[in-house]
Amino acid sequence: MTSPRTAAAALLAAVCLLSGCGTQRPAPLSPDDTVRAAQLVLTDRCLLRRGLTPPRPDSGPPPAAERRRVVRALFGAGPTELRVRLPNGYVVRRHTDGCLAAAQQRLYGDQPRWFRVSTTVDNLKSKAPHGDRVAYEALRSLAVRNARAVLDSAFAKGTSS
């Protein structure tokens, strides 16, 4: 579990990348924070391409209609396309058409597979099937490499576009 301080550092680093603040590279992030920061860069880019304002904790809440458009663009809409049933019977579902899914596809290379193995591993921990744990680690390593490339590109450009 990431501490609020670590999550805030990742958010600050991503916001700095997006706004072009500073000329020096931010301090290295942990692998998890690197992926989170790159995911934020990618989802912000996606929302901006759709003419929407990315949400920020320090800004006031947008009007309800705008908030609904942002949520639908970020998380997807309509029937969920991905589904995993856990051994306890609980079913986890996810969309593949939102900005978050697109960011995961870019980072992990296979968003449906990442969803399946991460849901299983995150919920079952050490009791997850060995193959899922191996796939989780491989996809996570790929995501860290891809996230570094996204952040390096955003830093070089000084913008989110």
Side-chain angles (χ1 to χ4, degrees):
M1 180 65 72
T2 302
S3 72
R5 185 178 188 160
T6 304
L11 179 62
L12 179 61
V15 170
C16 243
L17 284 170
L18 292 171
S19 64
C21 65
T23 56
Q24 293 185 338
R25 286 191 180 275
L29 298 171
S30 72
D32 286 342
D33 288 338
T34 299
V35 172
R36 280 189 202 94
Q39 186 171 285
L40 181 65
V41 167
L42 294 170
T43 56
D44 282 0
R45 287 176 182 171
C46 178
L47 289 171
L48 290 168
R49 279 193 305 273
R50 295 179 184 201
L52 299 167
T53 302
R56 289 289 178 267
D58 60 340
S59 64
E66 174 75 2
R67 189 171 46 249
R68 281 191 299 275
R69 283 192 298 275
V70 168
V71 167
R72 289 175 64 88
L74 190 57
F75 298 111
T80 54
E81 300 87 356
L82 302 176
R83 178 179 182 266
V84 172
R85 180 178 298 277
L86 298 171
N88 64 3
Y90 187 71
V91 176
V92 181
R93 293 178 173 87
R94 180 91 27 99
H95 288 283
T96 60
D97 62 336
C99 292
L100 179 59
Q104 289 175 340
Q105 180 64 36
R106 167 73 171 81
L107 294 172
Y108 296 98
D110 186 341
Q111 194 256 347
R113 187 168 183 226
W114 171 250
F115 168 70
R116 185 181 57 76
V117 300
S118 66
T119 300
T120 302
V121 171
D122 289 345
N123 283 281
L124 300 180
K125 309 291 184 214
S126 64
K127 294 182 182 183
H130 176 73
D132 285 349
R133 290 192 315 255
V134 170
Y136 178 93
E137 289 304 324
L139 290 168
R140 185 177 173 280
S141 293
L142 175 63
V144 171
R145 287 191 306 274
N146 288 338
R148 286 185 180 129
V150 166
L151 296 177
D152 286 347
S153 173
F155 180 80
K157 293 177 185 178
T159 67
S160 62
S161 51

